[in-house]
Amino acid sequence: MATPIAADQPPALSRSFFARPCELVAPDLIGCLLVKRQPSGELLWGVIVETEAYSQSEPACHGHRRRSPSNETLFGEPGRFYVYVSYGIHHCVNVVTHRAEWANGVLLRAVALPGEQERIGAGPALLARRFGLDRAWDATAATPQEGLWLAPRTQPLAAWLSEAADRPPADLLAAKAPSQPAAEAPAVVQTSRIGISQAQELPWRWYLRASRSVSRRSPGDRRPPLAEAWWPKPEDIGTGDALARWPAGP
């Protein structure tokens, strides 16, 4: 399902947002939007609820050992999508970060889509499949002009996460998610990466604890009940004034 959007479409994150090390960009992408313009002109969008960081300095990164035609995009300018094939079957979508000539990027691990099944984008392959992304999108600049981009958190979600970061843990138990009855603490969990055999000790995975669309939760972190979970809603970007929906800067 695509949500119709007027001319005041979600703005793209700036290039300066991506011109930072992957381990700084990855947590800041939680709550941001992945947006794709469909052939009909409507926008398919989802909220990023899980990310992983990868850097040339560690062995789990595709560019750690060598530069090749298949990973060339990862060595390019920040703010472009790097799409690769995993196990010869599944596509995985990343955004290039930091600087050119240094392999650095963030894997988009999971998204939550408004009005759709909660786990339709709960994993890199499911995310790519739902958005129809394959190697043809590799090296595409993340801009509305290219039809695929990353947008800032909506104003309510940005304020909610900012409040969560600034308040003591005990106070967060009473915090409420935007438009939700009684959400659990809206924390972003930092934990180890999954699905890799090297550098597993690095805590370079982040996810939105209040989301039920995360691919895999940290041990001991139970999935929130339906009544306490956070969900994106079509009206989050589908109506109203764009200036009221997004913060002044990414």
Side-chain angles (χ1 to χ4, degrees):
M1 178 182 71
T3 302
I5 305 295
D8 56 350
Q9 64 187 9
L13 290 167
S14 66
R15 181 177 172 182
S16 62
F17 178 93
F18 300 108
R20 299 177 294 151
C22 58
E23 67 271 24
L24 299 182
V25 175
D28 286 351
L29 279 175
I30 298 297
C32 291
L33 278 60
L34 175 62
V35 188
K36 182 186 181 187
R37 183 176 295 106
Q38 303 288 64
S40 65
E42 293 183 333
L43 299 185
L44 176 66
W45 65 275
V47 175
I48 299 168
V49 296
E50 184 182 0
T51 59
E52 280 181 339
Y54 289 90
S55 170
Q56 186 174 340
S57 62
E58 47 88 14
C61 177
H62 286 180
H64 177 66
R65 292 183 179 83
R66 61 184 177 276
R67 189 169 179 168
S68 68
S70 62
N71 66 20
E72 179 66 26
T73 299
L74 198 55
F75 288 86
E77 296 292 332
R80 291 182 175 273
F81 288 105
Y82 166 53
V83 184
Y84 67 87
V85 180
S86 176
Y87 298 108
I89 303 174
H90 306 298
H91 289 91
C92 297
V93 182
N94 306 253
V95 61
V96 179
T97 60
H98 206 181
R99 57 182 171 84
E101 308 302 324
W102 177 254
N104 209 262
V106 175
L107 172 65
L108 307 182
R109 279 204 60 90
V111 294
L113 288 85
E116 301 203 20
Q117 297 176 8
E118 63 184 40
R119 302 194 60 78
I120 196 167
L126 293 174
L127 181 156
R129 183 184 306 166
R130 180 63 190 90
F131 277 81
L133 302 176
D134 54 24
R135 282 284 292 171
W137 290 91
D138 182 56
T140 299
T143 65
Q145 292 77 14
E146 296 294 335
L148 182 68
W149 70 100
L150 296 162
R153 298 164 176 165
T154 59
Q155 187 70 267
L157 184 55
W160 182 48
L161 289 174
S162 177
E163 180 184 15
D166 293 339
R167 293 173 62 185
D171 291 346
L172 291 177
L173 295 177
K176 293 185 178 181
S179 305
Q180 299 297 331
E184 192 180 68
V188 173
V189 176
Q190 181 176 3
T191 185
S192 56
R193 297 177 296 186
I194 55 179
I196 56 176
S197 58
Q198 295 177 295
Q200 295 172 321
E201 72 284 357
L202 285 177
W204 277 9
R205 180 167 69 100
W206 291 263
Y207 67 82
L208 187 66
R209 175 176 283 149
S211 174
R212 291 169 60 91
S213 301
V214 173
S215 67
R216 188 191 305 175
R217 308 185 77 84
S218 182
D221 181 30
R222 300 183 64 181
R223 187 169 61 165
L226 281 171
E228 298 179 2
W230 177 85
W231 303 91
K233 298 181 179 299
E235 58 267 27
D236 287 346
I237 69 169
T239 60
D241 177 32
L243 294 179
R245 294 201 302 275
W246 286 279

